[in-house]
Amino acid sequence: MLSATEQVIFVILVIVCLEFAVRGFTRMAKIVGRGQPSSRSDHPAGRFVGALVDIVLQKPIFKTRPLVSFFHSFLFFGFIFYLLVNVNDLLAAYVPGRSTIGSSYLPVKIFNLFADLFSVLVLMGMIFFLVRRFIGRPKSFTFNENVKLHDKVVGGGIKRDSLIVGLFILLHVGSRWFGTIFRLAEQGHGDPWLPTASAVAPAFYGWSGIETGIHVAWWITMGSVALFLPYFPRSKHLHLLIAPLNLALERRTPGLSDAVGTTTAPGAAKLTDLPWPQILDSCACIMCFRCQEVCPAHGSGTPLSPSALEINKRYFINENAEKLAYGGEQPGLLEYAVSGDGVWSCTTCYACVWICPVGNEPMTDIVELRRNLVFDGELPDELAGVLRNLDEQGNSFGESARKRDRWTEKLDFKIKNASREPVTYLWYVGDFASYNQSCQATTIKVARVLQAAKVDFGILGRNEKSAGNDVRRAGEEGLFEVLAEKNIQTLSKCDFREILTTDPHTFNTLKNEYPRQGGEFKVKHYSTLLLELIRSGRIRLSRKLNITATYHDPCYLGRYNGIFDDPREVMRLCGVRL
């Protein structure tokens, strides 16, 4: 128990540190609140319960890096339990006889056991991460040389933050563990409910400074928490509070939201132009670099790093918090967060969003930036040509609409025109499958399989236009809306049960984005239909392939829409070992 003077000193210390911490959190809340509106309030109970389950099971963490995730679980569960430990230690300092050491009550003994084991596990986990970051230095922690970085990042800000957080945890948990060791040493015997502390305690039997050691250990344990509070809102450790909120408020559909901003300035140019959840992302970021590790653009050497984008945003916020919170002028995102070349390097593959353990969406920042750049006419020449083709001809190749169904001339049967007669499946073929020579061979094979299975299907022919999935992700919101409106009008005049697609990009936009434009249609990917036809016996496989193959999931089928099993099962049934 602390002396009366120490009790007062500690209360004053906590009040002062809390004051600074509250100011930091208030500024952060104001900055996030300056972001553009975004509705994430649907099904609030389900959102938070789902996030809680995911967090408790550590599902987002274990998507990759199993060893790292295993050690992270030590920290996670240890810190959850340490909330109780810290409350207990505070009471022990202010309430006479509140110490749990030597208690005969079973619940208290169980508490001691967990406190002892979690202390060691947290220390093991933290040492693992510090060794990994400062000695192992995985390649995934290295940015491409051409990636734009905030000055504070270049100056070693990430390492400094990691070291401060790491040392805080080692001090806090380590001193608490040693405090227990000293108490056992003071008693002169161990405790089976404190196994690790009991194993070390004999080394301190008879130590003359044992009472001082207990006292100092308590002050380091609880004082470190108080002194860390002002830094907490600025540190990566903030993810403890923000990550659960971010996961609960994450986007529920892979479809893009409508552009933020106004018709005269769509998209985002500066931080507060972004929707508020995307500003919150930077507060949740743990700087784990998982998104960068899976980013194909970064892996191929481009100036894009989704990790750098979020980290740069965070360091900019920390450096300009007062000005941002109260409406001061701010530079554009392209000046500190990501380069123009980096913006156009993104393939919108969704890997960064899918892999992020705290629910961040760096890809959506990039789309908002593109929307703004396209509106201002600042886009690559090659993209401008493709968008012009789509505007004038309705396809990315700039080919005449009359050529869209020429591939059918190589068939020995006629495909129905779904614009003129009813069909069960309206096959939305897509640009590449219609015009690209190498893709046409596959298109023809699919048509022959459908015909052999006696599937009632048809195509739109010259009445089909690009569905606009990639147009929208390139940032040309207006052209996407024009294409979607024309396609929805065409589809609404047709008589069909479901839309069938072979192109995952077309599948995604018809399924996830057309409903927001007024086009509610049932959409099926052909891999799902093929599986249904095989299982129903309408397709009979008389000869197995007996080959081994690797299947690469299309991003817009797998990550965006969760269809992983259907194409694999079709291949297995055909005799393919995956």
Side-chain angles (χ1 to χ4, degrees):
M1 182 173 172
L2 298 179
S3 67
T5 302
E6 287 178 307
Q7 289 177 346
V8 172
I9 291 172
F10 185 74
V11 169
I12 293 172
L13 176 65
V14 169
I15 291 173
V16 171
C17 292
L18 266 177
E19 169 66 18
F20 285 106
V22 168
R23 289 181 187 179
F25 283 116
T26 301
R27 283 194 297 265
M28 190 66 69
K30 286 181 179 294
I31 293 167
V32 172
R34 288 192 62 203
Q36 302 306 304
S38 179
S39 178
R40 303 289 176 93
S41 59
D42 57 306
H43 311 295
R47 281 177 171 273
F48 281 92
V49 170
L52 180 63
V53 171
D54 283 352
I55 291 167
V56 170
L57 297 178
Q58 291 285 275
K59 285 172 62 178
I61 298 292
F62 276 92
K63 281 183 178 179
T64 185
R65 298 180 181 175
L67 180 63
V68 173
S69 302
F70 177 67
F71 277 99
H72 181 273
S73 66
F74 292 177
L75 297 175
F76 172 77
F77 292 110
F79 258 82
I80 294 297
F81 191 76
Y82 249 71
L83 293 174
L84 291 176
V85 171
N86 290 336
V87 170
N88 174 75
D89 289 353
L90 275 175
L91 291 174
Y94 285 83
V95 180
R98 188 63 178 76
S99 174
T100 61
I101 306 297
S103 174
S104 59
Y105 292 105
L106 181 61
V108 177
K109 289 180 177 181
I110 294 173
F111 170 85
N112 284 342
L113 177 64
F114 277 107
D116 182 82
L117 295 178
F118 276 127
S119 293
V120 174
L121 290 175
V122 169
L123 292 173
M124 287 173 56
M126 198 65 254
I127 291 170
F128 169 83
F129 281 107
L130 288 173
V131 169
R132 180 171 180 266
R133 183 170 288 274
F134 291 99
I135 299 176
R137 291 182 293 184
K139 186 180 178 181
S140 57
F141 286 0
T142 305
F143 298 108
N144 291 340
E145 291 183 0
N146 52 2
V147 170
K148 182 183 282 293
L149 297 174
H150 190 278
D151 289 343
K152 296 289 186 183
V153 178
V154 175
I158 297 174
K159 288 184 177 180
R160 186 164 49 251
D161 191 28
S162 299
L163 187 61
I164 291 172
V165 171
L167 290 178
F168 157 65
I169 293 173
L170 290 178
L171 271 176
H172 175 57
V173 178
S175 58
R176 204 279 175 183
W177 185 57
F178 269 99
T180 304
I181 291 169
F182 295 156
R183 286 186 177 279
L184 292 174
E186 183 183 39
Q187 295 177 0
H189 60 80
D191 184 337
W193 294 92
L194 294 164
T196 67
S198 296
V200 180
F204 296 93
Y205 285 175
W207 179 34
S208 60
I210 200 74
E211 289 189 14
T212 302
I214 293 171
H215 222 64
V216 171
W218 186 94
W219 270 102
I220 295 175
T221 301
M222 302 309 299
S224 62
V225 174
L227 292 172
F228 187 76
L229 285 173
Y231 183 67
F232 189 35
R234 299 176 58 86
S235 77
K236 61 190 291 183
H237 213 42
L238 184 62
H239 81 283
L240 283 173
L241 294 181
I242 303 300
L245 179 64
N246 215 37
L247 288 167
L249 297 175
E250 67 182 351
R251 191 187 307 276
R252 287 298 184 89
T253 170
L256 292 176
S257 301
D258 294 335
V260 295
T262 64
T263 54
T264 57
K270 56 185 187 292
L271 181 74
T272 52
D273 289 340
L274 293 170
W276 66 262
Q278 289 166 234
I279 301 176
L280 190 67
D281 283 352
S282 60
C283 304
C285 181
I286 187 55
M287 306 179 195
C288 66
F289 296 91
R290 292 181 187 223
C291 56
Q292 176 177 286
E293 190 174 36
V294 299
C295 176
H298 188 272
S300 60
T302 74
L304 174 64
S305 164
S307 298
L309 172 58
E310 296 297 349
I311 294 169
N312 288 340
K313 283 161 58 182
R314 183 57 196 278
Y315 276 93
F316 175 76
I317 289 172
N318 283 348
E319 191 174 46
N320 301 276
E322 196 72 27
K323 183 165 58 176
L324 288 169
Y326 299 101
E329 289 296 318
Q330 54 181 300
L333 286 161
L334 293 179
E335 293 185 39
Y336 63 88
V338 62
S339 67
D341 287 344
V343 168
W344 296 113
S345 298
C346 178
T347 66
T348 66
C349 69
Y350 211 61
C352 60
V353 180
W354 187 83
I355 203 66
C356 182
V358 295
N360 286 350
E361 303 172 354
M363 188 198 78
T364 53
D365 287 17
I366 290 171
V367 172
E368 292 296 354
L369 281 164
R370 286 177 174 177
R371 285 166 166 168
N372 185 264
L373 290 171
V374 168
F375 184 81
D376 290 340
E378 299 178 19
L379 66 163
D381 292 340
E382 311 94 288
L383 177 59
V386 172
L387 295 177
R388 193 178 307 112
N389 290 338
L390 284 157
D391 184 31
E392 295 173 356
Q393 300 294 341
N395 65 80
S396 54
F397 292 88
E399 295 283 359
S400 167
R402 292 192 298 272
K403 298 181 180 179
R404 188 175 275 275
D405 59 358
R406 280 194 179 175
W407 60 271
T408 63
E409 296 173 2
K410 299 177 182 178
L411 297 170
D412 54 4
F413 58 90
K414 188 173 181 179
I415 297 179
K416 286 184 177 180
N417 186 328
S419 300
R420 299 173 185 165
E421 51 189 320
V423 293
T424 302
Y425 292 100
L426 187 155
W427 182 7
Y428 210 105
V429 184
D431 288 3
F432 272 79
S434 298
Y435 291 107
N436 184 277
Q437 294 295 320
S438 60
C439 291
Q440 282 182 3
T442 302
T443 307
I444 290 168
K445 289 176 183 178
V446 171
R448 286 173 175 159
V449 169
L450 295 176
Q451 176 71 8
K454 295 182 171 55
V455 174
D456 179 30
F457 73 100
I459 61 175
L460 293 172
R462 67 182 61 185
N463 292 322
E464 178 184 301
K465 296 182 183 295
S466 168
N469 183 82
D470 304 329
V471 173
R472 194 170 202 206
R473 278 152 185 79
E476 182 39 290
E477 194 73 12
L479 179 55
F480 167 75
E481 291 176 358
V482 169
L483 290 169
E485 182 180 354
K486 289 180 179 178
N487 289 330
I488 290 170
Q489 288 177 355
T490 299
L491 292 168
S492 298
K493 296 174 183 176
C494 300
D495 185 357
F496 61 92
R497 192 180 73 194
E498 287 185 79
I499 294 176
L500 179 69
T501 74
T502 45
D503 172 31
H505 292 232
T506 299
F507 174 81
N508 177 70
T509 201
L510 292 175
K511 179 176 182 288
N512 296 313
E513 295 183 349
Y514 272 36
R516 293 175 63 88
Q517 307 296 320
E520 293 274 0
F521 307 108
K522 290 183 178 180
V523 188
K524 181 177 288 184
H525 189 257
Y526 85 115
S527 62
T528 303
L529 178 60
L530 290 177
L531 183 58
E532 293 173 358
L533 294 172
I534 294 170
R535 285 177 170 170
S536 67
R538 291 175 65 182
I539 291 179
R540 296 182 181 180
L541 304 171
S542 58
R543 182 169 60 88
K544 295 298 178 79
L545 294 174
N546 193 29
I547 61 173
T548 300
T550 297
Y551 173 63
H552 181 102
D553 291 278
C555 305
Y556 280 83
L557 191 64
R559 292 194 200 99
Y560 274 84
N561 289 286
I563 299 178
F564 296 100
D565 296 334
D566 291 0
R568 285 176 167 80
E569 187 60 22
V570 170
M571 286 184 282
R572 287 191 187 98
L573 292 171
C574 291
V576 178
R577 293 181 299 277
L578 292 170

